[in-house]
Amino acid sequence: MPEKKLIAGAVIPIVVILGYSLLFHVDPFEILSLLPWYFLPAFFVAYFASNAIAAIRDSLIAEIDYWIALKARLLGNAVSLVIPGALGPDLTRALVYVNKGMKIEDALVYSFIVAFYDVVVGSVLYLAVLFVRPELLSLFYVMVALSNILYWLSVMGYIAGTAGSRMNRLEEFVFKRLQDYPEIMKAYQRAKEVTKSKTNPRIASFSALITVFEYAIQALPFYFIFHSYLYSLFVNQLYFVSLLVPVPAGAVSSEVALTSILPPLYAIGLRVLELIAYALGFVFIKEINFTRLQEEIRRYGKVPQRTQPRGVADPDKRDNKGC
């Protein structure tokens, strides 16, 4: 069943693009014949350069080697084509970190902090340049941007704000039922401390600045199409916000967003190029090692053993009498 869902996730964006191409009678690759020859190399250079800039922030936040951070980021983008949201790019980054020796609880919290800066800064930047071309459809993407900003600020603010303090009633209620797993409570408390330290004003200001620079570089090649950098940045940020809709690769959402402000040929052509750029990250798929992940999970104890009813022997510890 999981394999079928992954296959469906990978197929959905392709089917949507084919459907849009047939609907508008356009060839997704025809755009290449209408643009300067240097647009294509500029597009892919800008994509990798923007991720290279973001990887600087990622490596400093996660305190890992720069090249690991870059590979984790590119692979995370690729996986987002199949699995949206935290189960896609964020979890993928964490798995790469774990493969390089990081504890799983640290890897997860570092990955989510990285996502926090990406989403909040990217969404705020979209709202800041919305005046370039506001449309009726913009209301939907404004709501997507605002909901993501409020969600991430609320969650990260709560986690950082309660670091080092006593657990509230809700936390006590949850962890009372996990009292057989003290490692989980320790990981949760550590996550709060790490979040607080990585979102302090100095680090937050630097990380936000790096993130703005990341998006600014992404938008550069679009100048060859629109001849206005501000409009290019607007298109780039609208596309980013459209990907926040929780479907694989932002299928339908991103096509609708782009076709609302661009001719169908340009909208579908740019969408295909974006998908190709993201898919290139799959070359780093070997950076994920599930054996290493299993070793990390074992630190929390064998769940079957800990949930075994009292008085019932663990099958693994029975002697072999009668065998």
Side-chain angles (χ1 to χ4, degrees), residues 196-214:
K196 182 178 181 179
S197 67
K198 299 299 181 179
T199 55
N200 67 56
R202 182 177 62 84
I203 293 179
S205 299
F206 174 78
S207 298
L209 183 62
I210 287 289
T211 309
V212 170
F213 194 29
E214 167 197 354

Side-chain angles (χ1 to χ4, degrees), residues 259-292:
T259 52
S260 71
I261 60 172
L262 298 176
L265 174 60
Y266 285 85
I268 303 303
L270 291 178
R271 171 66 166 150
V272 170
L273 291 178
E274 291 282 356
L275 292 180
I276 292 173
Y278 273 45
L280 293 175
F282 278 119
V283 300
F284 301 115
I285 193 66
K286 290 185 178 180
E287 293 297 320
I288 295 179
N289 186 329
F290 288 103
T291 300
R292 168 64 184 163

Side-chain angles (χ1 to χ4, degrees), residues 94-138:
L95 292 177
V96 174
Y97 298 165
V98 168
N99 189 36
K100 299 305 178 180
M102 188 179 294
K103 292 182 178 180
I104 189 171
E105 60 266 28
D106 291 345
L108 287 171
V109 70
Y110 286 139
S111 184
F112 287 131
I113 292 172
V114 165
F116 162 71
Y117 287 114
D118 278 335
V119 174
V120 172
V121 175
S123 298
V124 169
L125 195 54
Y126 164 69
L127 297 176
V129 297
L130 181 61
F131 69 90
V132 173
R133 186 172 173 177
E135 302 278 352
L136 181 61
L137 188 63
S138 299

